Structure formats: C-alpha cells, structure tokens
Amino acid sequence: MDLQDQLKNLFPDHVPSNEPEETEETAHELFVQKEPMICKFEKRKGKVTTIIEGYEGNDEDFKILAKEIKTKLSVGGSFKDGAIIIQGDYRDKIMKILQEKGFKTKRVGG
C-alpha cells in the first residue's frame, strides 16, 4: 500500500487538488543608512577578528546581514551587542559585499 492509498483510507472524504499552492516570497529589504558602517580589525585572545559596527536599522536586519556575510565567506562569527564579529581578517571582502548592497563603509585599524 503506498502513501496515497493510506491517506485515502484515513481521509475518505478528502478531494485532493491538483493545483500547486502559490506562495510569494518577498526579498527582505535592508535599511540602507547614510552614515558609513565601520569595519575594523582586532585581535582577541590572540585570534584575528573583523568587527562590523554602526548599523542604525533593526537588530533583526543586522542579524540577517551577518548570516549572509558568514555564508558568503564560509567563516564563523557571531552577532553581539550591535556588532558583527567575523573570525579572521576579511575587511576588504566584507567591505566589497556591503558596498554592493549599497552601504557606505569605513576601514579602521591596521
């Protein structure tokens, strides 16, 4: 007995529809600010990190941006206290990604 037969036995009155459900996915719009975002280099406990600060929009938008950056660069990182912390020195790549999205960036340190 396949799955369709089992479902017919469980729900004899159900009439399946052949039309696929239409769901519209809208891309999330990030708030693009006028002030530049600060992209700086730090060493924490001997490890090299890149820190991005200065976003004026929602924390949720900043978290989405952090996840996107981490995915594109295939690196680890976190979001803490209004800052994105990326493992490693990726300032140039991060600044390029942010500028493609329409953000202004400022390089700080080193």
Side-chain angles (χ1 to χ4, degrees):
M1 206 187 261
D2 67 342
L3 182 63
Q4 294 295 329
D5 293 333
Q6 291 176 2
L7 289 172
K8 285 178 186 175
N9 288 339
L10 290 173
F11 306 104
D13 298 332
H14 178 69
V15 178
S17 64
N18 293 334
E19 297 177 20
E21 294 182 20
E22 293 182 23
T23 57
E24 289 186 26
E25 292 186 23
T26 57
H28 189 74
E29 292 291 323
L30 292 173
F31 171 73
V32 179
Q33 62 198 28
K34 293 181 181 177
E35 294 297 316
M37 292 176 66
I38 297 171
C39 192
K40 63 183 178 179
F41 169 81
E42 268 188 24
K43 278 194 173 183
R44 293 187 173 185
K45 298 181 184 176
K47 307 281 183 175
V48 177
T49 59
T50 303
I51 300 172
I52 305 159
E53 297 176 327
Y55 187 68
E56 297 172 354
N58 264 346
D59 278 351
E60 292 299 318
D61 292 345
F62 207 31
K63 286 180 185 178
I64 292 169
L65 186 63
K67 184 173 183 173
E68 188 173 323
I69 289 171
K70 291 188 300 183
T71 304
K72 281 188 178 181
L73 297 177
S74 300
V75 295
S78 64
F79 176 81
K80 276 187 188 171
D81 302 325
I84 300 172
I85 302 167
I86 303 291
Q87 297 173 355
D89 185 9
Y90 293 99
R91 284 179 292 178
D92 296 329
K93 292 179 182 179
I94 291 171
M95 287 172 60
K96 186 177 178 184
I97 290 170
L98 292 174
Q99 288 168 356
E100 287 173 357
K101 292 191 163 291
F103 291 102
K104 294 178 185 173
T105 57
K106 189 175 188 179
R107 184 181 173 128
V108 177

